[in-house]
Amino acid sequence: MMAKRGIFFCGQKHAGHIEIRDTRRQRSTRQRQRQPPSTLYSTPSVDSEHLLPLRACPSPRLIRSNCLQDFFAMSQEIDIKPSTWKLVEVGRVVLIRRGPYADKLAAISEIIDHKRVLVDGPSGDEEKVVPRQSIPLAHVTLTSLCLEKCPRRARTGAMRKAWEKSGIDAKWAQTGYAKKKEQQDRRRNLTDFERFKVMRLRKQARFAVQKSLSKVRAAS
């Protein structure tokens, strides 16, 4: 007996004939005979109550008009505000993070390419002045401040007028970063005796907080 792809060859040498049987066809017929006739060809039952007539469905044109009406009604109630993203643009004030002019402000005068810009920092304080130079964008941080109506490739004189007109120094002093930086610089320049006084003041403040907290706990 030999088997090849589900077909068995049964032969008798002494009889001189070979009988071929296709077991795949026999297996499928057996499975059909075992199953009841109701499960062989059954169609799902559909409840006629859940079916809607064709005319009851709205047309696509009516659906589109209703959607447009809803959209226009919603657009009148929406308050659209411009984006507050910090863009690389002419007049944008940047904070230099690397190099000899680190922690100083400058304004973009011209965009050279997608990696470098031309900056100029005509600050009112001589210690914070940044000369006109080219700097990579990777070495600066964009701020929320921007010069008003600053022309492209403006020289130092025009940049100084726009800087003073916009009040960049006063606005920057009110930012949280500038206040924190000033506090860090003040702490860094303290003497030993001044650090001791700061430590004593912090201890007194902590003792006062603990004392008031203990009173509240005792009262409760």
Side-chain angles (χ1 to χ4, degrees):
M1 180 181 294
M2 296 181 294
K4 184 179 181 181
R5 295 183 181 178
I7 301 176
F8 288 84
F9 298 90
C10 302
Q12 298 179 2
K13 294 183 179 180
H14 62 277
H17 67 276
I18 297 176
E19 183 181 359
I20 301 175
R21 298 178 184 177
D22 192 349
T23 58
R24 293 176 297 180
R25 186 176 300 175
Q26 293 178 1
R27 192 180 300 113
S28 61
T29 54
R30 291 173 186 172
Q31 292 177 357
R32 291 178 183 174
Q33 292 175 1
R34 291 176 183 174
Q35 295 179 358
S38 60
T39 59
L40 290 177
Y41 305 100
S42 60
T43 56
S45 60
V46 180
D47 192 359
S48 60
E49 296 180 357
H50 298 283
L51 296 178
L52 294 176
L54 185 60
R55 295 182 179 179
C57 299
S59 62
R61 184 177 299 177
L62 181 60
I63 295 174
R64 194 182 302 110
S65 62
N66 294 337
C67 292
L68 290 175
Q69 291 177 3
D70 296 341
F71 174 75
F72 288 125
M74 292 175 59
S75 61
Q76 295 178 359
E77 300 176 358
I78 296 175
D79 186 12
I80 300 175
K81 296 181 180 180
S83 63
T84 57
W85 294 348
K86 301 173 184 177
L87 305 177
V88 179
E89 56 184 340
V90 175
R92 175 67 61 181
V93 180
V94 298
L95 177 66
I96 302 175
R97 306 304 299 269
R98 298 181 185 178
Y101 302 100
D103 298 330
K104 294 184 179 181
L105 295 178
I108 298 177
S109 177
E110 179 62 32
I111 300 174
I112 301 175
D113 54 16
H114 65 287
K115 290 186 177 181
R116 302 183 67 85
V117 292
L118 182 65
V119 298
D120 195 352
S123 177
D125 190 357
E126 295 182 358
E127 297 180 356
K128 299 180 180 180
V129 173
V130 178
R132 188 183 182 91
Q133 60 181 313
S134 173
I135 191 170
L137 286 172
H139 295 180
V140 300
T141 300
L142 301 178
T143 65
S144 58
L145 306 178
C146 188
L147 300 181
E148 299 177 358
K149 298 180 180 180
C150 180
R152 296 182 59 182
R153 300 180 183 179
R155 296 184 178 275
T156 305
M159 294 288 290
R160 184 181 294 107
K161 291 181 181 179
W163 190 281
E164 295 175 355
K165 183 178 180 181
S166 301
I168 299 299
D169 294 333
K171 292 180 180 179
W172 177 252
Q174 299 299 325
T175 59
Y177 179 86
K179 293 179 181 179
K180 187 176 181 180
K181 184 65 178 176
E182 184 181 359
Q183 183 182 5
Q184 291 176 354
D185 294 342
R186 194 185 306 114
R187 289 284 182 88
R188 191 181 296 110
N189 297 327
L190 291 178
T191 60
D192 293 341
F193 183 65
E194 290 174 345
R195 292 193 186 94
F196 175 76
K197 290 194 293 184
V198 170
M199 182 189 67
R200 294 294 300 175
L201 291 174
R202 293 181 67 178
K203 282 186 177 181
Q204 292 177 6
R206 185 166 59 252
F207 177 76
V209 171
Q210 292 178 355
K211 186 176 180 180
S212 60
L213 184 60
S214 61
K215 289 182 179 180
V216 172
R217 289 177 178 175
S220 60

